[in-house]
Amino acid sequence: MKRPKIAFFDFACCEGCQLQVANIGEALLDILDIADVVEFREVMSEKWDQSFDIAVVEGSITDHHAIERIKMIRSRSKLLIAYGSCATIGGINGMKNNFELDEIRKEVYGKDYKYFDTIKTMPVHHVVKVDYFVNGCPIYPPEFITVLKAALSGIPYDVPDKSVCIECKFNENICMYEKGLTCMGPITRAGCNSWCINNGNICYGCRGMVSNPNEKSAKDILEKYKIDLNLILNRINMYNKCRELEDNEQKRY
Amino acid sequence: MQIYKILKKSNLDSLVSILSKKQKFMAPVSKGLNKFAFESVTSSKDIALKYIPTILAPKKYFMPQYETLIEYDTKEGQNMKAVVEYENMVLFAVHTCDLAGIQCLNIVFSDRPKDLNYLVRKNKITIIGLECNEVCDEYSTCAFMDNDLPNGGYDLFFTDLGEYFIVHVNTQMGDAIINDTKLFEDATVSHINELEKLREKKRKLFINQFGIDRQKIPELFDKSKESQIWDDIGNRCLSCGNCTNVCPTCYCFDVMDVQNLDLKTGKRIRVWDSCQNETFAKVSGGESFREARSDRKRHRFYRKFKYPVNRYSRFFCTGCGRCTRTCMAKISLLETLELLIKENKVK
Ligand code: SF4
Ligand code: SF4
Ligand code: SF4
Ligand code: SF4
Ligand code: SF4
């Protein structure tokens, strides 16, 4: 069989997920044994102008140019993997959607703001079809490898639709709620092996919400910890603001 | 005839050190904030002899969170090799509630079709129980579930009587430890009397909080299928799955394949699953048998207090209280039972 060609691209993001991939180490060498990486800005300067088998896309879609570019990438690739919260759920970039677009442009670009195009932040699947999702800010490298293996062998991968608590309990951590802290784990999708809690941090909800979160009860619980409602909403919105686009406009491939 | 021995407390460290050299030796260890976990130890000073139920039940050694069942190789055809992962180990200081939990798992995995992975592993584990002289905290219901006193399910059973442990020898595996380590002495009548005195004292400490007989529970659940209480706790539940993961008797699992990077070889594993998970009762086409949270909560309670009673004549709640301790929504097993009893006026 011909060696599959993989290309990495980035849109609005911090490039932290690329860095995670570049740092994978040994397993990355094993991947290079079975596939060719033809474009990857973080680690190589070459560019590839033909088609490829797998496009790995980081970052959110935030202007018209990005829409055209992601459509072009999609048309050149057999499969597309969106990775990182920016690409899969809009992530932090989605916080922009809390404001009027002009207000944002003025704040960022000053008096010449009219020359700078911007649109509401969208995850990649709001613009083109996405075959695989690797949620997380940044991605959890073992999950990225799992997805890559699935893509290379043509089998599906579903982002777990259960809570981070599941993995947190597998790891027998002391629950943040029992430490008197709050945690987004119960309404956030598993798959990161409760990375943050294992390292003494709370879960910020970077992997996005489970498909049917009990938001009402989650808010009630956070309120019991005397956190004011705005802060609770901020915490939920920090990574999940783009959900509203889906709710309102049904914009989804 | 019952065989009782004595282990002086000053000899506990020698026991741990001898046994932990031969195999893994697991015991409760303090994690701070009054939380405990079973971990591997080599010295008695690391063991928390006074502890409340660990975050995860000892179930994790009998059916690990992730377990390999099969290794496969598709380079030439379809080659499968069955795998059983096990290691020799001693589980030390298992409370009576958790002994009951292990007995429940034994029943389930011995039922047809027998689960060889579980049964092979179980035979490699030596269990040393430890009696609770006092109730661990306000969440436990072990007395109501009749698990506050030892009811078998161990090789040796320790009761702390101050300067020494009195040790009940229950199996050959237990007897072997007594003979091999040479640390134990014969118990005399006065030792047995001390044990009797402790048990007498316990009768006043370990009380049934509910005011009904345990045998009334199945009847209670017969009447409670449509209770509003399931909606109430369903509305509060986040479906986080903590209550089932920490439960000593929840045994549901999912099976999946994990491929290696060569994409040709890999393994089939099983992973703990939970009826509280959104996807648990989903079938192809997207339908779910228990879409409503209230249905999932009700299911968990029926899986403890009704269905296993029908099938195995045994309650699958040990009264350990873990599900209540771990729930950030503060859904309490004790309160839920109290409400059901009140609602149905069961006496
Ligand atoms: S620490 Fe967070 S993720 Fe872990 S069990 Fe508690 S709420 Fe869930
Ligand atoms: S624990 Fe939460 S914040 Fe941390 S990686 Fe996982 S989902 Fe993201
Ligand atoms: S621990 Fe509480 S919130 Fe979590 S699934 Fe169980 S009942 Fe629901
Ligand atoms: S249902 Fe709760 S109290 Fe009963 S055995 Fe399970 S965790 Fe323990
Ligand atoms: S529930 Fe009962 S048997 Fe279990 S630890 Fe508490 S007091 Fe001991």
Side-chain angles (χ1 to χ4, degrees):
Chain A
M1 199 186 97
K2 246 178 58 203
R3 287 162 65 85
K5 293 188 171 52
I6 307 179
F8 288 77
F9 300 96
D10 50 67
F11 288 81
C13 65
C14 73
E15 297 178 22
C17 290
Q18 282 177 61
L19 204 61
Q20 288 291 322
V21 173
N23 286 339
I24 283 176
E26 211 164 307
L28 192 61
L29 296 178
D30 288 336
I31 293 167
L32 294 177
D33 258 358
I34 50 170
D36 288 325
V37 174
V38 293
E39 188 165 335
F40 193 169
R41 208 155 61 82
E42 192 83 25
V43 292
M44 59 199 264
S45 50
E46 293 94 325
K47 291 217 176 225
W48 180 259
D49 54 7
Q50 298 158 44
S51 65
F52 24 78
D53 298 284
I54 303 176
V56 187
V57 178
E58 179 187 13
S60 333
I61 308 303
T62 54
D63 59 25
H64 290 97
H65 172 69
I67 294 183
E68 293 318 311
R69 201 173 138 236
I70 188 67
K71 283 183 176 164
M72 183 65 86
I73 291 169
R74 177 73 254 194
S75 69
R76 284 166 62 198
S77 186
K78 286 200 193 108
L79 289 174
L80 192 148
I81 302 177
Y83 78 130
S85 298
C86 302
T88 52
I89 60 170
I92 298 262
N93 294 322
M95 282 199 277
K96 175 165 99 172
N97 300 356
N98 282 326
F99 305 92
E100 288 301 319
L101 285 178
D102 277 350
E103 201 185 320
I104 288 275
R105 284 203 290 173
K106 275 184 216 159
E107 177 73 27
V108 177
Y109 301 113
K111 66 176 178 12
D112 290 332
Y113 74 92
K114 288 254 182 266
Y115 299 108
F116 296 89
D117 174 41
T118 196
I119 56 174
K120 281 201 166 183
T121 300
M122 289 185 283
V124 174
H125 68 278
H126 285 191
V127 186
V128 295
K129 178 168 176 271
V130 170
D131 303 293
Y132 295 92
F133 294 86
V134 190
N135 292 24
C137 177
I139 54 153
Y140 179 58
E143 191 190 26
F144 177 76
I145 291 173
T146 301
V147 173
L148 204 57
K149 286 187 293 193
L152 286 168
S153 44
I155 53 177
Y157 176 78
D158 292 322
V159 182
D161 190 12
K162 54 190 177 193
S163 72
V164 170
C165 300
I166 295 285
E167 291 168 341
C168 187
K169 274 287 149 294
F170 282 15
N171 292 318
E172 210 165 2
N173 291 316
I174 298 180
C175 180
M176 290 294 165
Y177 285 92
E178 295 183 277
K179 292 184 178 176
L181 299 169
T182 63
C183 179
M184 291 285 284
I187 50 173
T188 304
R189 280 175 186 265
C192 60
N193 193 30
S194 63
W195 204 0
C196 298
I197 303 103
N198 302 350
N199 288 292
N201 212 329
I202 60 163
C203 169
Y204 292 93
C206 82
R207 293 176 54 82
M209 282 195 196
V210 291
S211 64
N212 176 23
N214 191 344
E215 280 183 73
K216 161 96 186 38
S217 174
K219 282 175 196 159
D220 289 350
I221 291 168
L222 292 173
E223 260 179 297
K224 279 201 198 105
Y225 282 78
K226 305 217 176 349
I227 299 181
D228 89 84
L229 191 66
N230 272 326
L231 212 85
I232 295 170
L233 290 177
N234 280 345
R235 200 173 265 190
I236 293 178
N237 278 339
M238 183 159 139
Y239 281 102
N240 292 295
K241 191 67 189 172
C242 283
R243 274 191 324 155
E244 284 168 17
L245 287 180
E246 267 165 38
D247 295 347
N248 300 338
E249 298 162 33
Q250 294 291 321
K251 226 172 164 187
R252 233 191 133 94
Y253 263 79
Chain B
M1 203 195 78
Q2 302 282 337
I3 303 170
Y4 284 97
K5 296 279 173 181
I6 296 299
L7 179 76
K8 289 204 188 88
K9 281 243 176 103
S10 52
N11 278 332
L12 179 63
D13 196 51
S14 307
L15 179 73
V16 178
S17 124
I18 293 172
L19 293 179
S20 64
K21 281 198 186 88
K22 281 202 198 153
Q23 66 253 293
K24 278 241 168 93
F25 189 93
M26 307 300 186
V29 168
S30 168
K31 309 296 281 175
L33 296 168
N34 203 27
K35 296 282 158 211
F36 301 87
F38 276 97
E39 285 180 4
S40 155
V41 302
T42 53
S43 152
S44 69
K45 70 174 193 307
D46 300 325
I47 301 174
L49 279 175
K50 264 186 86 78
Y51 74 100
I52 67 165
T54 45
I55 302 175
L56 291 181
K59 163 177 96 176
K60 66 179 180 180
Y61 297 122
F62 293 81
M63 59 169 297
Q65 294 88 321
Y66 298 91
E67 173 186 2
T68 304
L69 302 176
I70 280 172
E71 283 168 357
Y72 67 78
D73 185 341
T74 58
K75 273 187 230 118
E76 285 168 43
Q78 287 261 14
N79 292 310
M80 304 260 215
K81 195 175 101 224
V83 176
V84 185
E85 294 174 326
Y86 62 83
E87 51 188 340
N88 287 323
M89 97 176 39
V90 173
L91 252 180
F92 180 69
V94 183
H95 284 165
T96 45
C97 54
D98 283 343
L99 293 173
I102 296 166
Q103 286 174 323
C104 290
L105 295 181
N106 290 345
I107 291 171
V108 168
F109 287 108
S110 307
D111 197 358
R112 271 167 235 260
K114 287 189 195 301
D115 192 295
L116 282 177
N117 287 58
Y118 178 94
L119 295 173
V120 169
R121 187 171 317 108
K122 159 183 151 350
N123 281 336
K124 305 287 174 190
I125 303 177
T126 306
I127 302 172
I128 303 180
L130 175 68
E131 180 147 10
C132 295
N133 295 8
E134 290 159 15
V135 179
C136 55
D137 64 16
E138 70 271 28
Y139 302 119
S140 67
T141 54
C142 58
F144 181 55
M145 300 316 296
D146 200 21
N147 288 324
D148 53 332
L149 291 170
N151 234 325
Y154 52 80
D155 298 291
L156 294 175
F157 188 81
F158 280 42
T159 304
D160 187 338
L161 290 175
E163 295 294 300
Y164 63 92
F165 296 100
I166 186 161
V167 179
H168 182 227
V169 186
N170 198 36
T171 65
Q172 282 187 353
M173 255 157 123
D175 204 33
I177 292 179
I178 305 283
N179 291 331
D180 296 350
T181 58
K182 303 193 171 51
L183 294 167
F184 296 78
E185 297 155 31
D186 288 337
T188 63
V189 176
S190 77
H191 294 127
I192 311 259
N193 286 342
E194 287 297 310
L195 179 62
E196 291 300 326
K197 261 196 245 161
L198 172 80
R199 300 252 163 102
E200 192 53 47
K201 210 172 90 194
K202 274 180 72 172
R203 262 184 267 279
K204 298 197 188 73
L205 295 174
F206 288 74
I207 44 159
N208 166 357
Q209 301 101 317
F210 299 100
I212 66 159
D213 188 85
R214 183 176 62 257
Q215 301 309 332
K216 293 277 181 188
I217 297 182
E219 178 194 330
L220 175 68
F221 277 77
D222 276 339
K223 293 181 180 166
S224 301
K225 284 206 186 78
E226 306 303 329
S227 170
Q228 173 69 35
I229 292 163
W230 308 124
D231 293 327
D232 294 344
I233 59 177
N235 287 337
R236 284 157 59 202
C237 172
L238 298 179
S239 306
C240 74
N242 279 358
C243 49
T244 59
N245 278 335
V246 300
C247 180
T249 71
C250 279
Y251 54 81
C252 288
F253 56 80
D254 195 5
V255 174
M256 60 185 77
D257 286 356
V258 179
Q259 43 179 355
N260 295 331
L261 266 170
D262 61 14
L263 307 181
K264 296 268 193 289
T265 60
K267 55 189 181 180
R268 179 157 302 165
I269 62 168
R270 71 168 151 201
V271 186
W272 289 2
D273 203 349
S274 162
C275 58
Q276 304 305 302
N277 289 345
E278 193 73 31
T279 45
F280 185 82
K282 246 193 198 158
V283 292
S284 62
E287 281 300 310
S288 174
F289 291 114
R290 281 186 293 276
E291 197 159 16
R293 268 189 190 81
S294 52
D295 289 350
R296 286 184 245 156
K297 279 285 34 116
R298 178 174 66 185
H299 183 72
R300 180 169 81 86
F301 278 84
Y302 275 73
R303 290 290 267 116
K304 302 296 151 193
F305 295 105
K306 179 77 183 115
Y307 307 147
V309 180
N310 293 352
R311 181 159 179 153
Y312 302 118
S313 308
R314 190 178 172 122
F315 291 106
F316 266 43
C317 175
T318 69
C320 73
R322 283 187 177 90
C323 52
T324 309
R325 278 179 215 106
T326 196
C327 180
M328 68 285 284
K330 305 241 180 300
I331 294 169
S332 154
L333 178 122
L334 207 146
E335 265 170 45
T336 307
L337 285 185
E338 275 173 350
L339 287 170
L340 289 172
I341 291 167
K342 215 164 121 197
E343 189 180 75
N344 286 288
K345 303 191 181 60
V346 170
K347 285 197 194 73

